[in-house]
Amino acid sequence: MSGGDVLKLQAKDNVVIALRALPAGSELQGVAEPLSAAVMQGHKIACSTIAAGEDVLRYGQIIGQAKVLIKPGEHVHTHNLGMDAHNLQDYEFATQKDALEPIAGQRTFDGYHRADGKVGTRNYVGILTSVNCSGSVARFIAEAVEKTGLLDEFPNVDGVVPIVHGTGCGMSGENEGYAALFRTLSGYAQHPNFGGILLIGLGCEVMQVSDLVGGRSIRADGALRYMTIQHEGGTRKTIEKGLEELRGIFEIANRATRSPAPVSEITIGMQCGGSDGYSGITANPALGFASDLLVRHGGTTILSETSEVYGAEHLLTRRAQSVEVGKKLIERIHWWEDYTARNGGEMDNNPSPGNKRGGLTTILEKSLGAVAKGGTAPLADVYQFAEIVDKKGFVFMDSPGFDPCSVTGQVASGSNLIIFTTGRGSVSGYKPTPCIKLATNSEMYARMSGDMDLNCGDIVTEGISIEAKGEELFELLIRVASGEQTKSEELGFGGAEFVPWQIGAVM
């Protein structure tokens, strides 16, 4: 129910959402008393009396409990809304797993068909590093490619991307942190948006190049070369050898050209960052509708950020294909509860200060809006961070809520397209995978239109339906998968956002 100035999302909600900045004394439809103090856009207002300790409801779901008596017309936020960590919902498993109706007729996009059967949306060559110690040399090689004009000979190659990071050594060679990094590097080495890979190590690190290669055929096209700086004889000799090896890789990658592929070969990593009070009303549900459309066409969508579905996971367990799949998600939730506790944190340390300025108060509220990105499709499976996704449909991949890290895992898992919703205004890109940015509100879109690909704020300001916006996004993602550049690509983002998840002690 909307009264022009406020929006009530579900009939049983006891808060409404401010659709613009409202001054004190404003009289609002569905709110018995005038506004007691000024409230910013996206923030919550009590529409009925809420007793101390009583549940506060948004989306028809619990987002926390009142710390004190809250009267109609009062601002509801951090000063009077808290969260009882022991008052989360009961779980049900596989009770709402009805399959979506497939869409007849094959939609296609123009992609790069790889030897292993996967299809890329871009055709980069990557310089992948096993350890931070080889990061500078990887960048030196990429700079040498630029200076020499070597890529001018290979017009079908989109560019060369140094994939550098801050780990790979000073770690155990056996724990879950090592396993996560191994999956991440292996996933990038096999990614369909890379037409070839040059893998560089220092030589003495924990994450050994020989272990990554392991005598196996990582790429079916043979477009992978590897070396260590110590074996080659230092920096200059490694740069020279790297350029020599890259020429051979470029020759293989340059043979690839775009040709039609079914949209079922698109895998989308779905993200939200810099969220606000509009995220769960506009961009996230629009992305959810587009996610369902892609799943109905046989494609794959990946929801992640485990710490940002906390408190809404019960909605996902109900959609699990099986009890076993639902329990896999809850196992990850319990792991996160332990992980945060042993590191002196708690799950409600999220939302961030920016989220709170945008109107979000508790992790329950943020999570309920974030889960909307996943639409209504059944949950086909749950994967570890950076684990290769081998099932079609809607899936979940475990990750932190830190966006660059979460996207890194999704790309390693096989995402050849990222869709990112933001309310405060996030700027980032994720080579080799293009990133579509969705603005949750029209004001931010107007202010940062140079970074945003699609405005979803018009769902509120212009009355555009979520379905129509989701269909608009679906057509945009097909165009981007076929080569249309996103704003982050035009700006050159993607060189600093590779962030593997560092789990465990740094030694």
Side-chain angles (χ1 to χ4, degrees):
M1 179 185 71
S2 174
D5 291 329
V6 295
L7 177 67
K8 191 173 187 179
L9 299 174
Q10 295 287 336
K12 65 179 181 179
D13 288 356
N14 49 18
V15 296
V16 294
I17 312 303
L19 297 181
R20 64 180 182 86
L22 299 171
S26 298
E27 294 187 357
L28 307 171
Q29 182 178 336
V31 181
E33 300 293 334
L35 197 59
S36 60
V39 171
M40 294 187 294
Q41 175 182 288
H43 283 243
K44 298 175 290 298
I45 301 162
C47 56
S48 60
T49 299
I50 308 173
E54 183 180 346
D55 292 335
V56 176
L57 303 178
R58 176 180 178 171
Y59 307 110
Q61 300 284 332
I62 298 169
I63 63 169
Q65 289 75 39
K67 296 178 182 177
V68 297
L69 173 69
I70 304 175
K71 297 177 181 179
E74 289 190 358
H75 182 207
V76 178
H77 201 33
T78 54
H79 61 289
N80 56 12
L81 174 61
M83 185 185 101
D84 181 355
H86 302 290
N87 193 24
L88 303 180
Q89 291 86 349
D90 293 333
Y91 298 130
E92 294 178 13
F93 298 99
T95 57
Q96 300 172 7
K97 59 175 181 176
D98 294 338
L100 299 181
E101 182 180 354
I103 295 177
Q106 187 70 272
R107 292 294 303 275
T108 63
F109 74 103
D110 290 331
Y112 295 97
H113 295 253
R114 304 304 185 189
D116 61 0
K118 297 177 182 177
V119 182
T121 63
R122 296 295 184 267
N123 191 36
Y124 286 104
V125 166
I127 305 177
L128 185 64
T129 55
S130 63
V131 66
N132 175 261
C133 308
S134 56
S136 290
V137 172
R139 287 203 168 105
F140 295 158
I141 294 172
E143 291 166 2
V145 169
E146 185 78 19
K147 290 176 182 176
T148 60
L150 178 60
L151 265 181
D152 294 343
E153 303 175 37
F154 307 99
N156 292 334
V157 178
D158 290 329
V160 60
V161 183
I163 303 294
V164 303
H165 55 97
T167 184
C169 203
M171 62 192 302
S172 168
E174 299 177 349
N175 66 3
E176 57 190 350
Y178 180 89
L181 180 61
F182 190 96
R183 290 193 302 269
T184 302
L185 297 177
S186 296
Y188 269 70
Q190 302 171 67
H191 200 277
N193 285 5
F194 280 131
I197 290 288
L198 176 63
L199 173 60
I200 299 178
L202 176 62
C204 55
E205 60 270 19
V206 172
M207 182 60 67
Q208 287 283 294
V209 167
S210 58
D211 291 336
L212 282 165
V213 177
R216 58 198 172 101
S217 178
I218 298 175
R219 296 186 62 93
D221 55 15
L224 184 140
R225 308 286 187 271
Y226 55 92
M227 64 183 71
T228 67
I229 298 166
Q230 291 169 352
H231 181 269
E232 296 302 327
T235 298
R236 296 187 186 280
K237 290 181 180 178
T238 304
I239 294 171
E240 293 172 2
K241 183 65 180 296
L243 288 173
E244 178 185 328
E245 295 289 4
L246 278 176
R247 175 175 287 279
I249 295 171
F250 288 155
E251 288 173 351
I252 296 173
N254 195 60
R255 297 171 195 157
T257 57
R258 290 188 182 273
S259 61
V263 295
S264 58
E265 294 302 320
I266 295 176
T267 297
I268 292 176
M270 301 184 293
Q271 286 286 321
C272 56
S275 301
D276 68 351
Y278 273 21
S279 294
I281 300 172
T282 60
N284 286 357
L287 174 51
F289 189 85
S291 171
D292 283 347
L293 282 177
L294 185 60
V295 169
R296 292 173 66 193
H297 279 90
T300 304
T301 60
I302 306 174
L303 182 67
S304 297
E305 301 177 288
T306 314
S307 56
E308 295 186 12
V309 302
Y310 185 72
E313 70 273 13
H314 64 290
L315 302 179
L316 296 174
T317 62
R318 286 162 165 77
R319 292 161 51 190
Q321 288 276 29
S322 66
V323 173
E324 291 72 23
V325 168
K327 287 185 175 180
K328 285 174 72 174
L329 178 60
I330 301 309
E331 286 173 3
R332 301 316 302 162
I333 293 290
H334 291 332
W335 183 92
W336 270 91
E337 289 173 331
D338 175 69
Y339 179 59
T340 53
R342 70 177 185 256
N343 285 286
E346 56 187 49
M347 296 300 279
D348 202 34
N349 286 158
N350 193 338
S352 70
N355 296 151
K356 292 177 180 178
R357 285 192 294 273
L360 298 175
T361 309
T362 68
I363 186 57
L364 305 184
E365 181 180 16
K366 185 176 183 181
S367 295
L368 288 163
V371 165
K373 300 194 300 292
T376 63
L379 179 64
D381 211 342
V382 174
Y383 293 86
Q384 295 185 72
F385 181 84
E387 185 179 4
I388 297 294
V389 170
D390 56 1
K391 290 184 180 177
K392 298 289 187 179
F394 168 62
V395 303
F396 188 87
M397 185 207 75
D398 182 35
S399 83
F402 181 44
D403 309 319
C405 180
S406 184
V407 174
T408 295
Q410 290 179 328
V411 173
S413 287
S415 296
N416 51 13
L417 193 64
I418 298 295
I419 302 182
F420 193 120
T421 73
T422 180
R424 305 298 292 173
S426 177
V427 295
S428 53
Y430 303 97
K431 290 178 181 178
T433 298
C435 176
I436 298 172
K437 289 284 176 51
L438 308 186
T440 72
N441 64 84
S442 298
E443 292 77 11
M444 187 274 287
Y445 178 79
R447 190 170 66 251
M448 299 184 64
S449 58
D451 291 274
M452 299 295 120
D453 297 287
L454 185 66
N455 179 29
C456 295
D458 54 8
I459 291 173
V460 169
T461 58
E462 305 296 331
I464 305 297
S465 71
I466 286 173
E467 294 80 5
K469 186 59 62 173
E471 290 172 352
E472 183 181 357
L473 173 57
F474 183 70
E475 297 302 325
L476 174 60
L477 73 86
I478 291 176
R479 297 198 307 272
V480 170
S482 299
E484 180 177 312
Q485 281 208 322
T486 66
K487 295 292 180 63
S488 63
E489 289 182 292
E490 291 174 355
L491 289 165
F493 278 101
E497 288 87 354
F498 178 73
V499 183
W501 186 7
Q502 290 187 255
I503 310 172
V506 177
M507 295 177 283

